[in-house]
């Protein structure tokens, strides 16, 4: 719609397509709630309040019946691919809960299929009710040292990508890249400065002089605070803070205290994100709407909680001229909710169209045809059990295993253990909860397949594997024995991507992820059933973690301390180097 047409629609000389009548407008700009109607033309809001001048003979009137009108919710930092759902399927999952916008780097499709893959996903979103405000990743992969991926995102890509209309800034600027003065990242930031685009951060546990150095690079916001004290320090250093409540990382109740107790006058600089969510969790708890309810329960006023999920996020990301409030000129993303206090989404208007009611999509969404470059991405050759053995010539060896923290989600600390050596092979030891972990380079660029040790899963039998594994989406597998590990890895290679649990040489549960080896077009409830089955199989084999597959698929993220594994080998995430997990003969 042209600017001229919008002007005329606001004046009423061009009549509206849709008017939402008899609602109570939650005005997040003024902090008021009052009776008002809303006029919509070609997917945009053109008038609020008394909109009689916008009504013509063909205008559809939608009666809100005294309910409340809220802006569509914004997820301020989301790796959509980590849901294992395609953009279309993810829209089916979250739009009925009121999420109409997400800020995402689409970094997982990017490392597999480059800008062409990202463009495919953005076009898919543009044809759906879900809007993706795209942050061009600072570089890919985020791993240090750099692991093997399908596409390395460079400053040359930034010069192209930052001109795309969906691009709203530089995404996931990992603190270690700034600390190490990575030349590619610094150039990407310089390009963004010339383009007047903001920079979005990723700085977990960053405080003191490290934070001062980081913010000096021009980073506008951060979503990675683990404590309320860390949140407050980032706020005091001028950052917008994006509070995370993912499926596995539950930080909202901790960090919301900055708005309820420590700095309530700065609540307007607080917004929400989920980062990584899965269908099982969203269908049980909700999405960003759940965060609104959680904030209210923690003592935030309903209007402020709704602002955190809408206008605060839009301002932080500098997209409030497009979304985040019900006002003329903005995209017509409007929720009809029961009340500000209980905040239950009853109907969803997205891009000017009624698309969901009573928690269900009423608009049929059809995914696009997937081109071959997205469905033929696993190039690794099959493995044999002996390919996965750790060998030594001693009778026993001392090893360093990365140990899953029970206190902080995803964090891996150090655990030393002594393992027996039989026939030259260092065997896993389920009695000590020391398992094998391997990463198989999937792009056919190397034959890297290092093996190290992991503790904390509690698995007693079998093996589990995944090809969706940020930040490089190589195949990650953990297991109690190499025979089951080989079956799991080879099943993923044969399927072109997926997640699988194997026991006694047989596939117990398998989830195919045929799109780039990381996502699927299946229905969210079908995904929920598969997720439940996979995790149940792992728990039945002894796994003690709440989310077995989510904990496994992040083992390659080197931005999470203190240890990781990539196709290069076991990684010291503090020293940023590969290390030998065999420490010494015992």
């Amino acid at each position: 719609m042209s600017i001229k047409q919008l002007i005329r629609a606001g004046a009423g000389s061009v009549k509206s397509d849709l008017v939402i009548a008899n609602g109570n407008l939650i005005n997040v700009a003024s902090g008021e709630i009052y009776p008002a109607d809303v006029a919509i033309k070609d997917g945009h809001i053109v008038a609020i309040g008394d909109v009689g001048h916008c009504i013509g003979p063909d205008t559809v009137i939608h009666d809100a019946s005294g309910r409340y009108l809220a802006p569509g919710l914004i997820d301020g930092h989301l790796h959509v691919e980590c849901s294992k759902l395609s953009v279309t399927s993810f829209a089916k999952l979250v739009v009925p809960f009121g999420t109409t916008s997400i800020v995402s780097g689409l970094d997982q499709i990017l490392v597999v299929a480059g800008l062409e893959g990202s463009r495919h996903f953005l076009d898919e979103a543009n044809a759906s009710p879900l809007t993706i405000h795209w942050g061009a990743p600072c570089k890919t992969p985020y791993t240090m040292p750099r692991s093997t991926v399908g596409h390395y995102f460079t400053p040359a890509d930034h010069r192209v990508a930052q001109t795309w209309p969906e691009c709203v800034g530089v995404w996931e600027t990992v603190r270690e890249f700034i600390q190490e003065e990575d030349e590619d990242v610094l150039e990407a930031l310089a390009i963004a400065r010339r383009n007047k685009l903001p920079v979005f951060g990723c700085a977990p546990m960053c405080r003191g002089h490290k934070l001062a150095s980081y913010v000096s690079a021009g980073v506008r916001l951060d979503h990675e605070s683990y404590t309320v004290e860390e949140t407050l320090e980032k706020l005091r250093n001028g950052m917008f803070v994006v509070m995370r409540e993912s499926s596995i990382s539950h930080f909202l109740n901790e960090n919301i205290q900055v708005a309820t107790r420590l700095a309530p006058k700065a609540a307007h600089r607080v917004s929400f994100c989920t980062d990584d969510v899965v269908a099982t969790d969203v269908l049980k708890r909700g999405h960003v709407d759940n965060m609104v309810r959680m904030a209210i329960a923690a003592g935030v006023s309903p209007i402020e909680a709704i602002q955190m999920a809408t206008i605060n996020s839009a301002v932080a990301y500098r997209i409030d001229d497009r979304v985040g409030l019900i006002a003329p000129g903005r995209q017509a993303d409007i929720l009809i909710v029961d009340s500000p206090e209980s905040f239950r989404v009853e109907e969803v208007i997205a891009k000017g169209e009624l698309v969901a009611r009573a928690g269900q999509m009423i608009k049929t969404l059809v995914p696009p045809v997937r081109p071959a470059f997205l469905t033929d991405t696993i190039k690794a050759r099959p493995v044999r059990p002996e390919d996965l053995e750790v060998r030594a010539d001693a009778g026993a060896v001392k090893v360093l295993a990365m140990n899953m923290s029970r206190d902080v989600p995803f964090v891996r600390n150090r655990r030393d253990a002594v393992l027996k050596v039989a026939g030259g092979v260092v065997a896993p030891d389920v009695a000590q909860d020391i398992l094998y972990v391997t990463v198989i380079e999937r792009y056919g660029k190397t034959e890297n397949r290092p093996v190290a040790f992991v503790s904390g899963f509690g698995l007693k039998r079998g093996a589990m594997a995944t090809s969706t594994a940020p930040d490089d989406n190589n195949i990650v597998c953990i297991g109690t024995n190499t025979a089951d590990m080989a079956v799991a890895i080879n099943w993923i290679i044969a399927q072109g991507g997926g997640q699988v649990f194997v026991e006694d040489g047989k596939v117990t549960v398998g989830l195919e992820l045929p799109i780039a080896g990381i996502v699927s077009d299946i229905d969210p409830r079908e995904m929920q059933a598969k997720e439940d089955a996979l995790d149940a199989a792992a728990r039945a084999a002894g796994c003690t973690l709440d989310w077995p597959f989510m904990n496994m698929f992040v083992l390659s993220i080197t931005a999470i301390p203190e240890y990781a594994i990539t196709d290069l080998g076991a990684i010291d995430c503090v020293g940023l180097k590969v290390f030998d997990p065999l420490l010494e003969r015992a």
Side-chain angles (χ1 to χ4, degrees):
M1 188 177 186
S2 69
I3 295 175
K4 186 179 291 186
Q5 285 293 93
L6 282 172
I7 293 169
R8 292 174 178 175
S13 57
V14 171
K15 300 305 178 183
S16 292
D17 302 320
L18 174 66
V19 164
I20 305 173
N22 303 317
N24 296 299
L25 177 63
I26 302 173
N27 193 316
V28 294
S30 65
E32 303 172 276
I33 301 175
Y34 54 87
D37 297 344
V38 180
I40 298 167
K41 178 66 178 175
D42 287 349
H44 288 79
I45 299 163
V46 294
I48 61 174
D50 181 357
V51 301
H53 64 292
C54 298
I55 298 174
D58 297 323
T59 303
V60 175
I61 308 297
H62 186 77
D63 187 3
S65 304
R67 294 171 292 172
Y68 293 80
L69 310 181
L73 307 180
I74 303 170
D75 189 329
H77 185 97
L78 175 69
H79 301 268
V80 62
E81 306 97 320
C82 288
S83 70
K84 306 181 296 298
L85 294 168
S86 68
V87 171
T88 300
S89 293
F90 191 77
K92 294 177 184 178
L93 174 66
V94 301
V95 169
F97 290 101
T99 302
T100 55
S101 284
I102 62 175
V103 182
S104 180
L106 298 178
D107 41 8
Q108 304 311 308
I109 189 63
L110 186 62
V111 297
V112 176
L115 278 177
E116 193 175 6
S118 297
R119 185 69 261 165
H120 180 84
F121 276 25
L122 286 170
D123 291 342
E124 182 179 358
N126 292 338
S128 82
L130 184 67
T131 299
I132 295 180
H133 306 276
W134 184 58
C138 64
K139 71 179 293 183
T140 63
Y142 306 132
T143 49
M144 296 182 73
R146 190 179 79 170
S147 54
T148 307
V149 295
H151 181 77
Y152 301 97
F153 195 66
T154 68
D157 292 317
H158 272 279
R159 293 186 185 93
V160 174
Q162 289 189 28
T163 67
W164 288 3
E166 298 89 352
C167 186
V168 297
V170 176
W171 160 276
E172 201 81 270
T173 307
V174 176
R175 181 188 65 80
E176 287 81 1
F177 287 147
I178 302 300
Q179 169 188 300
E180 300 300 311
E181 299 182 8
D182 184 282
E183 291 297 334
D184 284 349
V185 171
L186 296 185
E187 187 173 351
L189 268 55
I191 296 167
R193 181 171 292 182
R194 291 194 293 272
N195 289 331
K196 296 181 171 58
L197 290 173
V199 177
F200 314 138
C202 174
M205 307 181 205
C206 182
R207 304 186 66 178
H209 67 276
K210 290 183 178 180
L211 179 61
S213 175
Y214 184 68
V215 180
S216 293
V219 182
R220 181 176 174 85
L221 54 82
D222 184 68
H223 69 284
E224 282 278 7
S225 295
Y226 281 46
T227 67
V228 68
E229 291 80 14
E230 182 184 350
T231 300
L232 180 61
E233 188 172 348
K234 288 173 178 173
L235 193 63
R236 286 173 170 172
N237 277 269
M239 303 185 89
F240 289 86
V241 291
V242 186
M243 294 186 182
R244 175 173 60 183
E245 180 73 14
S246 76
S247 292
I248 194 169
S249 302
H250 305 297
F251 291 120
L252 188 138
N253 284 333
E254 165 71 16
N255 290 328
I256 200 66
Q257 296 176 73
V258 81
T260 59
R261 182 170 58 87
L262 298 182
K265 292 184 179 180
H268 64 287
R269 294 179 73 86
V270 172
S271 58
F272 296 149
C273 79
T274 63
D275 203 356
D276 302 305
V277 290
V278 292
T280 300
D281 183 46
V282 173
L283 290 169
K284 290 177 181 176
R285 294 199 300 162
H287 192 229
V288 181
D289 61 315
N290 174 59
M291 299 185 73
V292 173
R293 292 188 292 271
M294 289 179 68
I296 293 170
V300 176
S301 70
I303 189 72
E304 282 187 320
I306 296 167
Q307 286 170 325
M308 290 174 181
T310 58
I311 192 170
N312 292 10
S313 188
V315 169
Y317 285 95
R318 291 187 2 199
I319 54 175
D320 54 308
D321 60 326
R322 311 180 201 181
V323 295
L325 62 163
I326 299 174
R330 275 64 174 194
Q331 186 166 288
D333 296 338
I334 300 170
L335 314 180
I336 299 178
V337 302
D338 59 347
S339 76
E341 293 77 17
S342 54
F343 205 77
R344 299 291 174 180
V345 177
E346 296 182 351
E347 293 182 302
V348 180
I349 292 97
K351 299 179 182 177
E353 183 181 1
L354 180 64
V355 297
R357 178 182 290 124
Q360 302 292 326
M361 292 296 300
I362 60 173
K363 177 183 173 64
T364 300
L365 303 184
V366 179
V369 174
R370 305 298 179 183
F373 80 90
L374 285 181
T375 57
D376 182 21
T377 62
I378 304 285
K379 306 297 184 182
R381 65 173 179 82
V383 301
R384 303 166 300 171
E386 54 266 34
D387 295 330
L388 307 176
E389 294 172 345
V390 178
R391 305 192 69 83
D393 58 5
V397 292
K398 184 178 180 181
V399 304
L400 189 161
M402 51 179 171
N403 182 58
M404 308 302 294
S405 170
R406 295 288 175 170
D407 300 320
V408 184
F410 296 150
V411 167
R412 286 88 57 169
N413 49 41
R414 175 173 179 159
R415 181 184 172 197
D416 291 359
V418 175
L419 297 180
K420 295 178 180 179
V421 179
V425 176
V426 183
D429 187 343
V430 296
Q432 295 189 71
D433 188 22
I434 305 292
L435 308 179
Y436 269 173
V437 56
T438 185
V439 173
I440 307 298
E441 191 273 298
R442 61 171 275 192
Y443 301 100
K445 295 182 177 182
T446 73
E447 293 238 331
N448 292 349
R449 51 187 64 173
V451 182
F453 304 94
V454 66
S455 178
F457 279 84
L459 204 64
K460 303 297 184 186
R461 305 180 302 278
M464 47 199 282
T466 179
S467 61
T468 179
D471 289 314
D472 46 30
N473 293 303
N474 285 310
I475 299 170
V476 179
C477 178
I478 68 172
T480 62
N481 65 88
T482 58
D484 283 346
M485 291 173 72
V487 172
I489 292 163
N490 292 337
W491 184 88
I492 286 178
I493 292 171
Q495 302 305 315
Q499 292 187 328
V500 65
F501 190 86
V502 170
E503 189 171 344
D504 295 329
K506 297 179 180 179
V507 172
T508 302
V509 185
L511 165 65
E512 297 179 12
L513 299 173
I515 304 169
I518 57 175
V519 298
S520 170
D521 280 322
I522 66 174
D523 182 81
R525 292 198 178 275
E526 186 180 350
M527 179 64 78
Q528 178 188 29
K530 284 286 189 178
E531 289 171 347
D532 284 342
L534 283 163
D535 282 347
R539 291 192 199 100
C543 186
T544 55
L545 297 175
D546 288 339
W547 297 90
F549 276 79
M550 283 196 79
N551 276 285
M552 177 178 63
F553 90 171
V554 297
L555 291 178
S556 293
I557 300 179
T558 62
I560 299 175
E562 299 172 3
Y563 298 96
I565 181 170
T566 71
D567 74 296
L568 303 182
I571 306 295
D572 174 349
C573 301
V574 178
L576 303 177
K577 60 185 179 182
V578 178
F579 71 93
D580 187 347
L582 295 182
L583 299 177
E584 59 188 50
R585 295 183 180 186

